[in-house]
């Protein structure tokens, strides 16, 4: 039995300890917003926050996440400036990668509240989008940063 | 009455219950039944029977018969209905259509999404649906008030009488559903549009930002198991023998079964299934393709290209003119197999019962998938129900002519007799075939003494996509698969003597349409070679093209617009250069100007792309811009990185580390300019792809003097330090 805290809720799951956190989140806790894209930390679709840092959940054995604070896309408030910026810029197309994109973007703004394009490119390069929404991702991150600088919800 | 109709009726009744009861404009079951029974007959219903429901809560549910894979059909198609319906756009909800002949593609006789045809083929039908519904609502209000219909008008979800009184659509819906449908409808003049043509937010964005959008991979049904399949490492291979003991020892593995393409490991979860698959010991019979290699194929293609093929277009006397031309230019081009690499790997969930089968998947080809699954599981098509989820990218891959990912899941479901989700890992997806074909091209052209092209000869070598599919008879005429030569046979440039011919070798690598199909290849070749001619003629590549496009005003229009907006004549920073390309595909005309630099290591950086698009009448300009950005990135990934290669019959790439794609750090600034037009609508999901590779390569030539004739661009060829 492994106990996990996901989006402030405690879950106890009976899984093989080496199961990647991604599959426990998706299949056992039934939070399917976090996506599988590559399984080798190349695409970022599975990005979650562990103790506030962006991590690729496909690479974390579930036993290593025990006792840590895990946040998934479902744990991000609807009024978070990143989400509202994503909607304002109509960023997603197929939408599959955007849970991961948003989780990375939030982690970026936590580290660098006023990122430059270069900061964004550097931090977000681990998140692939095959629909090519990158230009809008950059714009939405700047938009959210501006809102947060003015004291918008963090 | 057939089963499908019962299912459909229950669906619609359920729908209205979900919406809080009330009507249901458009339930019109008698009409639906008659349509469903004449399955083979293409129908354009004038009634809003299958596409619009209005609830007593005023919610307007629009049933969309096209798959949403990012291209925005869950917004653009409802906009077409809502424009004529005069409903409140904020009250519009979207639902995916079930499989029913009424939802067939207007030209294909089957339900499907592709060829950038959704807006083009549905504009008329959905406009009529919206108009008819509006007229019935007005008629219902007029009858309620005992007034003349002419004294009532519809606006923003209300029918308003000249006296000022009004009723909401929800209040009128039930009565309206009993009104006779108008026998003919008068559609708005485009000048009266209030929604269509205006930038409009996508309806699906909120659920795509909070993790709630449901893709095929997210389906979870009671008692569902998860399976992965070990497939032959060589296309066409077979299982010789296998041992499953170790696989069955993996906790969570329930069953190991041999199925048509390989061995399925069925487990309680994905990790157990893949761990079990790793523990399988399989001896494969590699079959006839064991010796396939890209290098061998390339030699075969290059030698075929020196021989005459099936003629796709011939005008004048190209051979004679070439021989006599003042200047002759010849070149050979090649492009590799490409994987679609959708972000969501393929998957399909099936619940098979003795007399019914339900399928959940992100598909672009519902009717074909349903029929193929029915055949495998031994049911009638009418007993199989398909639920279309959101698609985590499609780009053509999810419209498989053999329904490969649904068929494989059906084999597994039939073997295990339990609800099962069959998943593909990224590696399965990338190595699983159905690639954009590899192509080899041999070209020659002649210029007269003034540098005008007088002859053009183009020989194309590559696999036919249509061959061996149910569409072969439709798609191949006189030995020519139209998709092999599209964009090459009908080059727009004024060249009096033209020959385009084709070889379609049969190779054991499964191929399929890949975003923009033939155009992803032909635009690169044609637009690069025309650039070579401009250079040979000593002329500016933009002016050279412009002069040859006099008879093609829409091509020339976008060419001029892109060049003007990009400041074609304006100086650039040191080490930067521009390239241009223009191409028509799917009824739309696109020109792109790419600004590039190349670092000493030979890496190409695309800084900016200015894109001009003429796609006729526009539904949602914001979607047009998004699709141009999207097509440019998709095409740029192919130009800079994309290649699927084979050695000893095996695909050498398996994930995003060996099949790289453009990341945000390489994203150029993209600027899109839309031509205002009243021409009939063109497609938009695909046409943004073709021009980017040649625009970039032409810019590289302008900068370095090195002509890229093989994709992807190789840094070693451009390295200076």
């Amino acid at each position: 039995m492994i106990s996990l805290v996901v989006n402030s809720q405690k879950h106890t799951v009976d899984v093989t300890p080496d199961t990647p956190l991604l599959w426990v989140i998706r299949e056992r806790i039934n939070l399917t917003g976090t996506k599988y894209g590559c399984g080798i930390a190349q695409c970022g679709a599975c990005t979650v926050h562990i103790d506030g840092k962006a991590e690729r959940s496909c690479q974390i054995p579930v036993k290593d996440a025990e006792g840590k604070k895990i946040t998934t896309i479902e744990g991000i408030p609807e009024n978070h400036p990143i989400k509202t910026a994503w909607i304002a810029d109509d960023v997603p197309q197929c939408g599959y990668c955007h849970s991961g994109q948003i989780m990375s973007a939030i982690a970026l703004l936590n580290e660098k509240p006023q990122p430059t394009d270069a900061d964004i490119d550097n931090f977000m390069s681990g998140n692939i989008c095959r629909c090519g929404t990158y230009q809008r991702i950059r714009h939405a991150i700047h938009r959210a940063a501006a809102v947060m600088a003015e004291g918008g919800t963090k | 009455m057939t089963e499908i109709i019962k299912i459909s009726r229950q669906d619609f009744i359920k729908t209205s219950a979900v919406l809080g009861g009330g009507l249901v404009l458009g339930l019109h079951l008698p009409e639906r039944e008659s349509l469903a029974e004449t399955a083979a007959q293409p129908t354009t219903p004038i009634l809003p029977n299958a596409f619009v429901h209005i609830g007593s809560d005023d919610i307007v549910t629009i049933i969309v018969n096209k798959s949403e894979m990012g291209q925005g059909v869950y917004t653009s198609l409802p906009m077409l209905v809502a424009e004529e319906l005069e409903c409140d756009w904020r009250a519009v909800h979207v639902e995916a259509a079930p499989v029913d002949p009424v939802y067939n593609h207007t030209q294909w006789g089957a339900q499907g999404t592709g060829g950038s045809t959704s807006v083009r083929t549905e504009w008329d039908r959905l406009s009529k649906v919206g108009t008819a519904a509006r007229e019935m609502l007005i008629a219902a209000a007029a009858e309620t008030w005992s007034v003349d219909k002419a004294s009532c008008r519809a606006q923003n979800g209300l029918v308003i009488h000249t006296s000022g009184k009004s009723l909401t659509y929800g209040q009128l819906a039930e009565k309206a559903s009993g009104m006779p449908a108008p026998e003919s409808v008068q559609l708005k003049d485009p000048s009266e549009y209030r929604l269509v043509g205006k930038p409009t937010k996508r309806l699906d964005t909120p659920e795509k930002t909070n993790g709630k959008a449901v893709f095929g991979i997210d389906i979870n049904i009671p008692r569902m198991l998860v399976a992965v399949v070990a497939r032959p490492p060589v296309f066409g291979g077979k299982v010789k023998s296998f041992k499953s003991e170790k696989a069955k020892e993996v906790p969570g593995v329930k069953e190991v079964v041999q199925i048509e393409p390989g061995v399925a490991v069925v487990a309680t979860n994905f990790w157990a299934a893949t761990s079990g698959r790793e523990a399988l010991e399989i001896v494969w019979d590699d079959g006839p393709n064991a010796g396939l290699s890209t290098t061998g194929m390339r030699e075969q293609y290059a030698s075929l290209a020196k021989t005459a093929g099936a003629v796709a277009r011939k005008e004048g006397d190209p051979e004679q003119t070439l021989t006599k031309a003042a200047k002759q230019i010849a070149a050979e081009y090649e492009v590799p197999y490409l994987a679609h690499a959708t972000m969501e790997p393929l998957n399909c969930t099936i619940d098979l019962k003795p007399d019914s089968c339900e399928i959940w998947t992100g598909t672009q080809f519902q009717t074909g998938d349903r029929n193929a699954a029915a055949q495998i599981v031994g049911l009638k098509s009418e007993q199989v129900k398909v639920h279309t989820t959101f698609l985590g990218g499609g780009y053509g891959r999810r419209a498989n002519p053999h329904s490969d990912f649904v068929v494989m899941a059906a084999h597994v479901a039939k073997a295990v007799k339990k609800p099962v989700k069959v998943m593909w890992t990224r590696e399965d997806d990338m190595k699983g075939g159905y690639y954009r074909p590899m192509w080899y091209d041999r070209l020659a052209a002649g210029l007269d003494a003034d540098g005008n092209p007088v002859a053009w000869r183009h020989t194309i070598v590559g696999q036919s996509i249509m061959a061996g599919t149910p569409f072969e008879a439709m798609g191949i005429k006189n030995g020519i698969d139209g998709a092999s030569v599209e964009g090459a046979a009908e080059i727009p440039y004024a060249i009096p003597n033209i020959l385009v011919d084709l070889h379609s070798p049969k190779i054991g690598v499964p191929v399929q349409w890949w975003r923009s199909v033939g155009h992803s290849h032909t635009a690169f070749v044609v637009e690069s070679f025309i650039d070579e001619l401009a250079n040979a003629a000593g002329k500016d590549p933009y002016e050279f093209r412009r002069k040859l496009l006099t008879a093609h005003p829409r091509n020339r229009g976008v060419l001029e617009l892109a060049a003007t907006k990009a400041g074609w004549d304006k100086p650039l920073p040191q080490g930067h250069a521009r390239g241009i390309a223009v191409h028509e595909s799917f009824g739309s005309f696109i020109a792109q100007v790419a600004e590039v630099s190349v670092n000493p290591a030979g890496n190409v950086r695309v800084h900016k792309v200015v894109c001009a698009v003429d796609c006729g009448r526009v539904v949602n300009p914001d979607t047009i811009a998004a699709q141009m950005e999207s097509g440019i990135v998709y095409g740029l990934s192919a130009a800079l990185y994309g290649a699927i290669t084979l050695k000893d019959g095996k695909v050498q790439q398996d994930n995003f580390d060996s099949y790289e794609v453009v990341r945000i750090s390489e994203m150029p600034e993209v600027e899109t300019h839309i031509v205002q037009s009243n021409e009939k609508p063109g497609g938009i999901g695909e046409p943004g792809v073709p021009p980017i590779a040649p625009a970039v390569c032409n810019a590289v030539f302008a900068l370095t003097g090195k002509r890229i004739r093989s994709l992807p661009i190789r840094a070693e060829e451009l390295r200076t330090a």
Side-chain angles (χ1 to χ4, degrees), chain B residues 10 72 185 264 308 340 403 408 430 440 476 479 499 569 579 654 676 712:
Chain B
Q10 281 165 358
V185 291
H340 302 73
S403 299
M408 193 171 85
M430 196 160 282
Y440 195 95
I476 302 182
L499 174 66
D569 293 329
D654 62 4
Q676 295 302 312

Side-chain angles (χ1 to χ4, degrees), chain B residues 154-341:
Chain B
Q155 188 187 319
N156 207 32
L158 297 171
V159 177
I160 304 165
H161 183 245
T162 45
S163 67
K165 61 185 170 189
S166 66
L167 288 166
T168 70
Y169 283 9
Q171 291 168 321
L172 289 165
E174 190 162 0
K175 191 182 187 84
S177 66
M179 290 284 142
E183 281 174 18
S184 65
V185 291
Q186 179 71 43
L187 301 183
K188 284 183 183 176
D189 184 84
S191 64
E192 300 172 275
Y193 285 161
R194 294 187 301 150
L195 184 60
V196 169
K198 309 289 186 298
T200 304
K201 294 278 179 241
R202 294 175 65 114
L203 294 173
D204 56 356
T205 299
E207 60 189 309
K208 286 178 174 177
T209 58
N210 61 18
K212 295 209 165 58
V214 175
F215 298 85
I217 202 170
D218 302 328
I219 293 297
N220 186 8
I221 55 175
R223 298 176 297 111
M224 182 184 84
L225 296 172
V226 175
V228 294
V229 178
R231 285 177 303 166
V234 175
F235 295 115
K238 285 183 168 51
V239 177
K240 203 181 264 175
S241 65
F242 73 101
K243 288 186 191 160
S244 59
E245 290 77 9
K246 287 180 192 158
K248 284 176 178 166
E249 284 167 16
V250 173
V253 170
K254 294 287 184 188
E255 278 188 70
V256 177
V257 288
Q258 186 173 351
I259 58 159
E260 169 72 13
V263 180
V265 179
V266 188
T268 55
N269 64 83
F270 174 85
W271 192 245
T274 50
S275 303
R277 184 171 68 173
E278 276 167 33
L280 279 177
E281 295 167 78
I282 306 177
V283 181
W284 299 99
D285 169 2
D286 285 341
N289 296 317
L292 265 187
S293 76
T294 307
T295 44
M297 286 173 53
R298 191 174 169 274
E299 282 172 31
Q300 179 195 350
Y301 282 24
S303 88
L304 266 177
K306 295 192 173 83
T307 64
V311 175
R313 181 179 175 190
K314 185 169 184 194
E315 284 183 29
D317 189 348
E319 296 298 341
Q320 274 288 334
T321 325
L322 255 180
T323 321
K324 292 181 187 159
K327 196 167 191 178
Q328 292 178 21
I329 302 98
E332 293 178 22
Y333 281 79
E334 58 188 306
V335 297
Y337 288 114
L338 293 174
H340 302 73

Side-chain angles (χ1 to χ4, degrees), chain B residues 680-694:
Chain B
K680 66 179 181 183
I684 210 61
E686 296 170 274
V689 176
I692 188 63

Side-chain angles (χ1 to χ4, degrees), chain B residues 553-629:
Chain B
R554 294 180 78 187
N555 301 63
R556 200 171 72 163
V558 290
L559 183 81
E560 290 174 347
L561 181 60
T564 305
K565 294 292 184 183
W568 182 256
D569 293 329
K570 303 270 164 47
L572 281 169
Q574 183 75 26
H576 286 219
R578 293 188 188 96
I580 194 165
V582 58
H583 193 77
E584 175 194 356
S585 61
F586 307 96
S588 293
F589 302 78
I590 319 268
Q592 291 167 4
V593 174
E595 179 188 332
V596 311
S597 65
V598 180
N599 72 9
N603 301 116
V604 173
R605 169 85 205 198
V606 182
H607 299 274
K608 186 172 180 178
V609 179
V610 175
C611 177
V613 47
D614 174 357
C615 56
R617 274 191 280 152
V618 166
V619 179
N620 187 356
D622 201 40
T623 295
I624 308 296
Q627 286 309 297
M628 291 301 104
E629 292 157 24

Side-chain angles (χ1 to χ4, degrees), chain B residues 53-71:
Chain B
H53 304 164
I54 299 176
S56 56
D57 54 3
D58 287 328
I59 288 186
V60 175
T61 300
I62 296 175
I63 314 298
V64 177
N65 63 338
K66 299 295 173 186
S67 306
E68 177 57 72
M69 49 191 155
Q71 83 282 40

